[in-house]
Amino acid sequence: YNKAKTAEKYLGDLIDKGEKEAAYLLSVMDEIQRSESERDLAEIRRELTETGFIKAQKAAKAEKIKESAPLRFISSTGAEILVGKNNSQNDKLTTKIARRTDIWLHIQKIHGSHVIISCDGAQPDEKTLFEAATLAAFYSQGRDSGKIAVDYTQVRFVKKPSGSMPGAVIYTDYKTVLVTPDEKLVL
């Protein structure tokens, strides 16, 4: 009985860990599909090495890759919008670059980029919010879908759970807006 009880707890923990790793790897697959250059792929490779999913290459071939900056857009009303391109960049953007009063956006229940509206504590206007939500929808797995729900909140309500995979966050006090991914806005 005790062996079975211990095994159930141990296997439950392993199943939870496996599900989290599977979700993380699905987000990495999405990033690979959205990557635009060899540099993007090299950053993803480095992220997978840091998380232990692939082994580091020999020192003879190791090359120092400078981490690229997040994508930067200016809204039609002049507000700066930043978009993360991979999980480690999403982490850095949300926890290091963004101020607590900036607006954070992410597509609901699907893997995608973290989007930040730099607004210095002011509430962004409807046009900027719509454009940022459209960018969040475009840089996600739901890129080819119709209407998509995008959640937004202030950065101070976004937390990274300890020990979680890169890019994983939890958030509260959010609102939702429905948008359609639009490639014209990106270009």
Side-chain angles (χ1 to χ4, degrees), residues 2 14 34 36 73 124 156 167:
N2 283 336
L14 283 178
R34 290 186 285 129
E36 299 171 349
F73 298 92
R156 67 178 162 187

Side-chain angles (χ1 to χ4, degrees), residues 2-79:
N2 283 336
K3 280 184 182 180
K5 196 163 86 171
T6 304
E8 181 183 11
K9 180 187 179 312
Y10 181 70
L11 291 175
D13 292 344
L14 283 178
I15 290 170
D16 289 344
K17 182 181 176 190
E19 288 172 349
K20 288 177 184 175
E21 288 177 354
Y24 171 71
L25 290 174
L26 283 174
S27 73
V28 170
M29 283 178 38
D30 177 53
E31 291 169 11
I32 291 170
Q33 290 174 346
R34 290 186 285 129
S35 63
E36 299 171 349
S37 67
E38 179 62 35
R39 184 179 189 166
D40 292 344
L41 292 173
E43 287 182 8
I44 293 169
R45 194 176 303 116
R46 186 186 62 208
E47 177 185 323
L48 288 170
T49 302
E50 289 172 357
T51 55
F53 282 98
I54 60 175
K55 290 185 179 183
Q57 295 180 347
K58 300 284 183 202
K61 192 167 183 196
E63 52 188 65
K64 186 84 171 172
I65 299 169
K66 185 181 177 202
E67 191 172 317
S68 64
L71 298 173
R72 184 175 181 269
F73 298 92
I74 302 295
S75 74
S76 56
T77 58

Side-chain angles (χ1 to χ4, degrees), residues 110-127:
I110 303 176
H111 300 291
S113 295
H114 293 200
V115 176
I116 300 291
I117 302 173
S118 299
C119 54
D120 295 325
Q123 181 65 26
D125 58 278
E126 294 275 332
K127 183 91 171 137

Side-chain angles (χ1 to χ4, degrees), residues 101-172:
T101 55
D102 288 345
I103 302 298
W104 176 89
L105 298 95
H106 193 278
I107 190 164
Q108 196 177 71
K109 299 178 184 168
I110 303 176
H111 300 291
S113 295
H114 293 200
V115 176
I116 300 291
I117 302 173
S118 299
C119 54
D120 295 325
Q123 181 65 26
D125 58 278
E126 294 275 332
K127 183 91 171 137
T128 299
L129 193 60
F130 175 78
E131 290 173 359
T134 303
L135 288 170
F138 184 77
Y139 288 103
S140 72
Q141 276 183 327
R143 161 186 279 192
D144 300 323
S145 302
K147 290 269 186 195
I148 296 177
V150 177
D151 294 337
Y152 66 96
T153 186
Q154 285 189 336
V155 173
R156 67 178 162 187
F157 298 117
V158 180
K159 305 288 184 242
K160 178 161 181 62
S162 61
S164 65
M165 292 293 192
V169 294
I170 53 175
Y171 54 95
T172 58

